[in-house]
């Protein structure tokens, strides 16, 4: 099964540039959403450009909705990572205390360092009828539940002793992280709610594949223990990179890309093939599928060597983003 052959890894979506009188100096989305705020496991600036640079080409009101969500998601993710490497600062824990206060009584402490984000979330998802009395099938209620679930997942999957034991646990991790993220995007309707979660599951699979070496450098391996054992590989070998030239690792990666990945694409098919999505969701889907194709191609081209993958992959991303910026400025409305 090869579900992505028809998708080019090169950039084809180029939003129309603003008229010359309205143009402002280029500002990357990473600067807008706080990709480098707080000390975390890595700087997420280039990742956010790779994931969401397309947002900058949207109409102002639509762009604002997307940037708000991306900022909230990015900030709590960095707070969770920060708590792992600077536990004494307790930034994520303090955010959670403040969020629970908002959740229970609607109060945002203006002195809280996260007051801006909490106030915006409160205005969007806690408006209207009294908390707990909303229709359970309402998108507002679903979004609030997805946000709560995402925060809990961040706490669980940033624990220093994290160990994914089985393929089922791995699958659960994918949906608890990006599955919930993709249910927080703006303009999503009930009709496509579950499908968006499956697309998010697929997205997290590719995030983990892309970041294998970065994670290994920090002692993290998301490959399930049962699959490592089945292929005769140890977690220590993955972390050190000694596994790359072993038959077991090559077999595991072929299984990962030839069986696990197509199964995730199949589950995400209702969203990939969905019609009637908001135009911004269609752009997000196209951009994401192109990114997945690039990750797959580069990973195969490097012989599944996660040590060599980052240099080649991020060089391509930088080149493509530079090309996009040049073409946007060259094509006025």
């Amino acid at each position: 099964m090869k579900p992505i052959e028809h998708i080019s890894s090169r950039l084809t979506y180029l939003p129309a540039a603003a008229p010359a009188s309205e143009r402002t100096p280029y500002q990357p989305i990473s600067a807008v959403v706080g990709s480098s705020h707080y000390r975390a496991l890595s700087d997420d600036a280039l990742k956010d450009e790779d994931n969401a640079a397309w947002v900058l080409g949207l109409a102002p009101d639509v762009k604002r909705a997307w940037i708000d969500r991306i900022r909230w998601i990015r900030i709590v993710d960095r707070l969770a990572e920060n708590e792992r490497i600077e536990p004494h600062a307790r930034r994520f824990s303090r955010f959670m205390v403040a969020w629970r206060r908002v959740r229970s009584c609607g109060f945002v402490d203006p002195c809280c360092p996260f007051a801006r984000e909490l106030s915006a979330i409160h205005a969007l998802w806690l408006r209207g009828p009294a908390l707990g009395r909303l229709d359970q099938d309402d998108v507002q209620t679903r979004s609030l539940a997805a946000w709560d679930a995402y925060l809990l997942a961040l706490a669980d999957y940033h624990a220093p002793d994290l160990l994914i034991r089985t393929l089922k646990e791995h699958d659960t991790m994918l949906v608890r992280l990006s599955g919930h993220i993709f249910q927080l995007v703006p303009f999503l309707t009930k009709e496509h709610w579950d499908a968006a979660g499956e697309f998010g599951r697929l997205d997290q699979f590719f995030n983990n594949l892309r970041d294998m070496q970065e994670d290994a450098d920090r002692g993290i391996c998301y490959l399930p223990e049962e699959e490592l054992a089945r292929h005769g590989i140890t977690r220590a070998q993955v972390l050190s990179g000694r596994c790359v030239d072993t038959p077991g690792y090559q077999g595991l990666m072929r299984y990962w890309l030839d069986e696990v990945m197509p199964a995730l694409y199949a589950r995400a098919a209702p969203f990939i093939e969905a019609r009637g999505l908001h135009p911004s969701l269609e752009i997000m889907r196209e951009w994401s599928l192109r990114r997945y194709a690039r990750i797959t191609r580069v990973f195969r081209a490097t012989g599944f060597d996660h040590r060599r993958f980052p240099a080649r992959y991020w060089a391509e991303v930088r080149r493509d983003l530079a090309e996009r910026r040049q073409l946007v400025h060259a094509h006025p409305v």
Side-chain angles (χ1 to χ4, degrees):
M1 179 178 181
K2 297 181 179 180
I4 56 176
E5 285 186 342
H6 65 288
I7 301 167
S8 169
S9 62
R10 303 293 293 170
L11 297 174
T12 57
Y13 167 69
L14 293 168
S21 61
E22 297 178 11
R23 292 181 195 171
T24 57
Y26 179 81
Q27 184 180 34
I29 193 167
S30 55
V32 180
V33 301
S35 305
S36 306
H37 288 180
Y38 311 106
R39 184 175 170 229
L41 295 177
S42 65
D43 191 325
D44 295 316
L46 189 54
K47 291 181 185 178
D48 287 342
E49 293 301 311
D50 188 24
N51 292 354
W54 59 272
V55 169
L56 298 179
L58 299 174
D61 290 348
V62 177
K63 178 171 67 175
R64 180 79 267 152
W66 276 94
I67 285 177
D68 283 346
R69 307 302 207 290
I70 295 170
R71 180 188 291 115
W72 304 340
I73 291 165
R74 173 52 66 208
I75 284 178
V76 294
D77 178 68
R78 292 191 66 80
L79 290 175
E81 290 190 3
N82 178 265
E83 187 132 334
R84 177 171 179 164
I85 61 177
E86 294 182 346
H88 58 281
R90 301 186 70 252
R91 290 189 175 93
F92 184 70
S93 296
R94 288 190 286 120
F95 178 90
M96 290 296 288
V97 169
W99 169 243
R100 291 186 183 110
R101 184 179 298 117
V102 174
R103 199 73 168 83
S104 61
C105 61
F107 174 73
V108 178
D109 183 351
C111 297
C112 172
F114 317 111
R116 174 187 176 188
E117 289 75 27
L118 291 172
S119 296
I121 294 169
H122 177 272
L124 181 66
W125 290 328
L126 290 173
R127 68 187 189 280
L131 184 62
R133 296 179 58 189
L134 290 167
D135 179 352
Q136 290 302 305
D137 210 28
D138 188 276
V139 169
Q140 182 179 327
T141 304
R142 292 179 181 218
S143 299
L144 190 59
W147 175 251
D148 282 334
Y150 176 60
L151 293 177
L152 292 176
L154 284 178
D156 289 344
Y157 293 113
H158 284 88
D161 57 348
L162 175 67
L163 185 67
I164 305 297
R165 294 179 176 82
T166 67
L167 193 59
K168 183 177 180 180
E169 287 184 6
H170 178 270
D171 193 57
T172 298
M173 174 194 65
L174 299 182
V175 76
R176 288 191 65 199
L177 289 170
S178 282
H180 291 311
I181 286 177
F182 275 66
Q183 291 175 331
L184 295 171
V185 298
F187 313 111
L188 183 65
T189 64
K190 290 182 288 186
E191 178 185 0
H192 300 115
W193 189 268
D194 292 336
E198 291 298 338
F199 194 71
R201 193 194 304 262
L202 179 67
D203 189 83
Q204 188 64 42
F205 173 88
F206 282 105
N207 288 346
N208 290 352
L209 192 65
R210 178 197 64 195
D211 296 341
M212 270 188 69
Q213 183 57 44
E214 178 184 304
D215 292 333
D217 288 341
R218 293 162 179 80
I220 302 168
C221 176
Y222 290 116
L223 293 169
E225 289 290 304
E226 70 173 9
E227 292 303 325
L228 293 175
R230 188 164 70 90
H231 290 84
I233 309 165
T234 67
R235 186 171 182 271
Q237 287 177 312
V238 175
L239 297 181
S240 68
R242 297 193 309 272
C243 64
V244 170
D245 297 321
T246 67
Y249 177 78
Q250 293 292 316
L252 172 59
M253 288 298 101
R254 284 192 291 272
Y255 165 71
W256 211 241
L257 268 64
D258 294 342
E259 296 187 41
V260 176
M261 182 181 74
L264 291 172
Y265 266 103
R267 292 172 72 167
F271 191 82
I272 294 171
E273 300 167 2
R275 298 187 178 186
L277 294 172
H278 186 275
S280 66
L281 287 169
E282 292 181 346
I283 296 168
M284 179 273 290
R285 178 177 61 186
E286 177 191 353
W287 186 282
S288 298
L289 289 170
R290 189 179 301 110
R291 178 165 55 87
Y292 307 159
R294 185 202 286 124
I295 291 170
T296 304
R297 175 175 51 76
V298 174
F299 200 69
R300 289 190 186 277
T302 55
F304 310 132
D305 190 340
H306 56 283
R307 301 166 303 181
R308 295 166 51 208
F309 174 89
R312 179 164 176 174
Y313 180 77
W314 293 114
E316 287 201 20
V317 170
R318 289 186 179 94
R319 184 180 68 243
D320 288 348
L321 289 170
E323 176 184 303
R324 173 187 181 273
R325 288 194 291 270
Q326 291 173 355
L327 290 174
V328 167
H329 287 298
H331 290 80
V333 175

